[in-house]
Amino acid sequence: MTPQIRLELEQLLSELCDGALEETQHARLEQLLADDADCRRHYLEYIDLHAGLLVHPAHQGSSSLALPGLPIAHASAAANRPGPRGRTLARYAAIVVTTLVVSLALQWLWTATHPAPFIPDLPEPVATLAQSHDCEWQGASASIQNGTRLRPGEMRLGRGVARLRFDSGSDLMLEGPATIRLDSTTAATLLNGKAVFHADDTAPPFELHTPAAVLLDLGTEYAVAVSADAEEVHVFEGEVQRTPRLAHGDPQPEHLSTGEGRRFARGGAAGEPAVLDPASFVRQMPDSAAPAPNQSSGLLAYEGFDYADADAMKKGIAAGGTGWEGPWKPGFVPSHTPYKNRTFVGIRDGLTRAGMASAGGCLETAGYVKFLRRLAAPINMDEDSVYYLSFLFHRNGSSADFMNGVTVVLRPTDAPARERDDFGKRLNIGVGGSNQLFANMHGVCARVPLPLSNGQTYLLAAKIVTGRSRPNQVMVRVFGADEPVNGREPSEWTLTSKPFHSDLVFQWLELSINSVRRQQIDEIRLGTTWTAVTSSALDK
């Protein structure tokens, strides 16, 4: 729990104990208690202390018990005698103690109905399947697709070309048929087949093992082919250090430089020159594997808020975009001033960023507002797949404002937010409070502070990895107003959640704004490919 969250929580608890908690504050308190175990623990301690002070007022100091005109000793005796004030305090204390008991019961119920998230005892991912073309994976890798996070273990590619992006920053182009074993973020073993390795000077050294040697790159692009009787190494750029695997003796490394090629017979330490042949290796993905910048393949849902009626969202008649069943419906719209007469769609100006135009207006509002819409293609968290989500958001509030949130929520139902268990059964992705990027679900919460500027438009892009045979995980990246976006998903994310398991099916997408200042959100895209949700923002 950050100091800002702690201060916000204590302010809400103070209002709660004084009986002055407003509707929006009550919802915010519920959210904090649902998202953070430390907040729930502090809540119990706070209520316990509050009840203790009421039941044992003497702990506040003996002078507080003195009555006008009486010595302290007599005042103490008088205080012990039941009176109107004592009876009032007793009733108040009974209410608070009862509240505490109910709170403890609710905490027990939360624990019983929200068990600790299932995190399989598996090694952390070391790479990502960044691109693939005409691939036929075999064995345990049969279900993987572009964007899949890859854990240590063996992968067999029957045919096709795949680009593996290691978390260390190195790339490996694998050409089938081939078998490779992922060892770590900086090591892999090519058991057979062809591979082209590429890394720049910013990546740490990478060890590519073969049955006969260990290849260490030195800012290199090189290729290696492993067959049953030999292996060849071709260096296109940089330098490679090759150390043979010998049963006896002290193997001496051999250095190969740009333009060199060598062939090594299986079991032999010395190699012989080979003609450098770049054409015999696939060094880049085929053009047919690269989607066009405006390709909509893989786009499941889109909303650009292109409405002529500024009250279309509030009226429940906003049915534009694609990939939805029915219009947006208000989940919660404040009826009290100053928000009761506010419109919710900016019909003239949508949000834009470098290289990205808006199709219409944007959702623009303040206060505590929610709108929900049913997805035509639900997201099943219990199937092996990868989804992407993106949207533009514009910060208009000070970073010091606690209630400064813009969130996209995936939900299994359109039930009210206060329905029991609801907070644990939805995926929240957004930016709130003092510019905190967050993603949370099933008690797994990740938060990262960002140096966002007031009055700027940002692109948020999220990757949702789902799985029956592998854990779920959420990754989020925020792009600045002028930051380029290319056609490949980033190798580094602003935020990465811990792995978790879920069998939920998300059928609804919810937009939630909780802010005392005006906030804007626009260009919402949900899809199965990176380009489907970033195509209009791609760096041309």
Side-chain angles (χ1 to χ4, degrees):
M1 180 170 43
T2 65
Q4 294 88 348
I5 294 295
R6 183 186 181 92
L7 179 59
E8 180 187 11
L9 178 62
E10 290 183 346
Q11 290 175 338
L12 293 172
L13 292 176
S14 177
E15 295 292 324
L16 174 66
C17 292
D18 290 342
L21 198 66
E22 297 182 354
E23 182 79 13
T24 56
Q25 293 175 310
H26 193 284
R28 176 57 177 161
L29 177 58
E30 286 186 337
Q31 182 180 11
L32 289 174
L33 296 180
D35 291 346
D36 195 325
D38 288 339
C39 287
R40 295 194 292 272
R41 188 180 303 108
H42 189 66
Y43 163 76
L44 288 175
E45 292 172 352
Y46 191 102
I47 295 297
D48 183 58
L49 177 61
H50 185 68
L53 290 174
L54 289 170
V55 176
H56 304 290
H59 290 173
Q60 302 176 47
S62 58
S63 59
S64 64
L65 294 178
L67 301 178
L70 289 177
I72 291 180
H74 291 184
S76 299
N80 288 331
R81 292 196 299 267
R85 175 179 170 79
R87 287 191 294 270
T88 300
L89 282 175
R91 287 195 298 270
Y92 191 16
I95 293 173
V96 173
V97 171
T98 301
T99 302
L100 179 59
V101 171
V102 172
S103 299
L104 289 171
L106 289 174
Q107 289 293 308
W108 176 86
L109 182 60
W110 177 273
T111 303
T113 57
H114 292 74
F118 169 70
I119 302 177
D121 187 17
L122 295 174
E124 290 295 316
V126 298
T128 300
L129 177 58
Q131 290 177 289
S132 62
H133 174 66
D134 193 30
C135 284
E136 181 184 280
W137 296 97
Q138 299 172 344
S141 305
S143 65
I144 66 173
Q145 61 189 83
N146 289 351
T148 299
R149 296 284 285 151
L150 306 174
R151 300 176 184 277
E154 187 173 294
M155 302 176 64
R156 288 187 288 145
L157 179 61
R159 71 161 189 264
V161 181
R163 186 173 70 88
L164 310 183
R165 177 73 170 181
F166 286 83
D167 290 359
S168 59
S170 300
D171 273 11
L172 197 65
M173 193 79 73
L174 193 65
E175 182 181 351
T179 304
I180 190 171
R181 186 179 67 240
L182 308 185
D183 300 321
S184 70
T185 60
T186 57
T189 301
L190 182 64
L191 299 173
N192 61 73
K194 294 181 179 181
V196 175
F197 175 88
H198 180 269
D200 57 27
D201 293 335
T202 64
F206 190 97
E207 289 187 353
L208 182 60
H209 298 249
T210 69
V214 177
L215 304 173
L216 180 66
D217 81 286
L218 302 172
T220 315
E221 183 189 11
Y222 70 89
V224 59
V226 176
S227 63
D229 57 354
E231 69 181 45
E232 289 190 15
V233 179
H234 295 232
V235 182
F236 305 127
E237 182 180 348
E239 186 178 356
V240 174
Q241 175 182 291
R242 182 183 184 275
T243 304
R245 296 172 179 269
L246 295 179
H248 304 285
D250 184 17
Q252 296 300 310
E254 180 178 358
H255 288 79
L256 290 78
S257 300
T258 302
E260 286 190 76
R262 291 190 71 80
R263 184 178 189 277
F264 301 87
R266 184 66 62 90
E272 56 186 28
V275 177
L276 188 73
D277 186 10
S280 64
F281 298 93
V282 178
R283 299 172 62 186
Q284 293 183 344
M285 294 298 295
D287 292 338
S288 59
N294 61 352
Q295 182 175 344
S296 60
S297 175
L299 185 65
L300 299 178
Y302 167 74
E303 175 59 90
F305 300 100
D306 190 7
Y307 300 110
D309 186 349
D311 288 330
M313 298 283 287
K314 186 164 58 174
K315 294 176 180 177
I317 59 173
T322 60
W324 310 95
E325 290 185 0
W328 291 97
K329 70 174 191 175
F332 177 83
V333 177
S335 58
H336 59 282
T337 57
Y339 307 120
K340 65 180 180 180
N341 296 320
R342 183 179 295 278
T343 57
F344 295 97
V345 177
I347 60 176
R348 290 179 299 175
D349 299 317
L351 297 183
T352 60
R353 66 182 302 275
M356 185 175 182
S358 177
C362 66
L363 177 60
E364 177 180 352
T365 187
Y368 184 51
V369 178
K370 292 187 177 185
F371 293 99
L372 300 99
R373 199 169 184 186
R374 190 179 182 93
L375 295 166
I379 295 178
N380 189 343
M381 298 295 286
D382 199 29
E383 291 182 351
D384 292 334
S385 190
V386 179
Y387 297 91
Y388 296 88
L389 167 73
S390 74
F391 59 87
L392 296 177
F393 67 95
H394 190 89
R395 302 293 277 171
N396 293 285
S398 167
S399 62
D401 290 338
F402 289 124
M403 299 170 68
N404 195 23
V406 177
T407 310
V408 171
V409 185
L410 293 174
R411 305 180 53 161
T413 71
D414 60 340
R418 290 187 180 180
E419 180 182 355
R420 186 171 66 87
D421 297 344
D422 184 65
F423 283 108
K425 293 184 177 180
R426 62 186 191 180
L427 173 60
N428 301 266
I429 299 173
V431 179
S434 54
N435 290 333
Q436 297 277 328
L437 177 67
F438 62 85
N440 61 73
M441 180 176 172
H442 279 317
V444 176
C445 182
R447 285 182 178 269
V448 174
L450 294 179
L452 302 180
S453 299
N454 189 27
Q456 293 288 325
T457 297
Y458 297 91
L459 171 67
L460 184 151
K463 175 180 178 179
I464 305 168
V465 179
T466 66
R468 173 181 294 273
S469 59
R470 58 177 180 260
N472 305 132
Q473 198 168 27
V474 179
M475 286 146 277
V476 187
R477 173 72 183 268
V478 173
F479 293 87
D482 300 318
E483 187 177 358
V485 182
N486 60 45
R488 297 186 299 191
E489 69 175 70
S491 57
E492 297 180 355
W493 298 87
T494 312
L495 175 152
T496 301
S497 77
K498 294 180 180 179
F500 61 93
H501 180 74
S502 173
D503 58 359
L504 296 177
V505 178
F506 293 128
Q507 297 181 328
W508 291 81
L509 187 144
E510 173 187 285
L511 304 179
S512 176
I513 291 179
N514 186 11
S515 175
V516 296
R517 298 174 184 264
R518 183 171 53 95
Q519 301 293 339
Q520 294 162 292
I521 185 171
D522 197 6
E523 295 297 309
I524 299 168
R525 289 176 167 85
L526 181 66
T528 57
T529 65
W530 171 257
T531 53
V533 303
T534 60
S535 59
S536 60
L538 292 179
D539 189 31
K540 307 298 189 291

